[in-house]
Amino acid sequence: MRYKEQRVCFEGNIDFYGKSGFTFASDYGIRYHGLPEGEDASFFLCKELIPNYLNGITGEYATPQGYFVDETKAEEFDKAFPYKEKLKLPGQIF
């Protein structure tokens, strides 16, 4: 199998994603952007898609700008669609 990407890093829960081979990014020497050295970043996980790809690589991860949402622009975009009532249903977390 060929992978375009060599590793995956994201924020998540190790108890859930650890079952799929993810581990703490700090185990690879990768820090989460903005956190001081040694600060708890147990939410920041990583998995190599190519074994040993991250050997000797260290650094700081920065969330891509495309992940950040301008709430004002999002609200303007939403106005282009018919109104729908937002519901909170049983079992819904947020």
Side-chain angles (χ1 to χ4, degrees), residues 20-71:
S20 298
F22 285 87
T23 189
F24 302 113
S26 60
D27 291 350
Y28 294 104
I30 303 171
R31 289 191 318 109
Y32 191 79
H33 176 73
L35 285 182
E37 191 76 37
E39 186 79 20
D40 178 28
S42 58
F43 61 89
F44 185 48
L45 308 177
C46 187
K47 178 179 179 176
E48 290 180 310
L49 300 178
I50 296 175
N52 301 314
Y53 177 80
L54 293 172
N55 284 0
I57 297 176
T58 61
E60 181 176 280
Y61 169 86
T63 304
Q65 288 299 313
Y67 288 17
F68 296 102
V69 175
D70 181 324
E71 293 296 331

Side-chain angles (χ1 to χ4, degrees), residues 9-29:
C9 295
F10 66 93
E11 300 168 27
N13 184 309
I14 191 67
D15 293 333
F16 182 80
Y17 291 104
K19 298 170 191 170
S20 298
F22 285 87
T23 189
F24 302 113
S26 60
D27 291 350
Y28 294 104

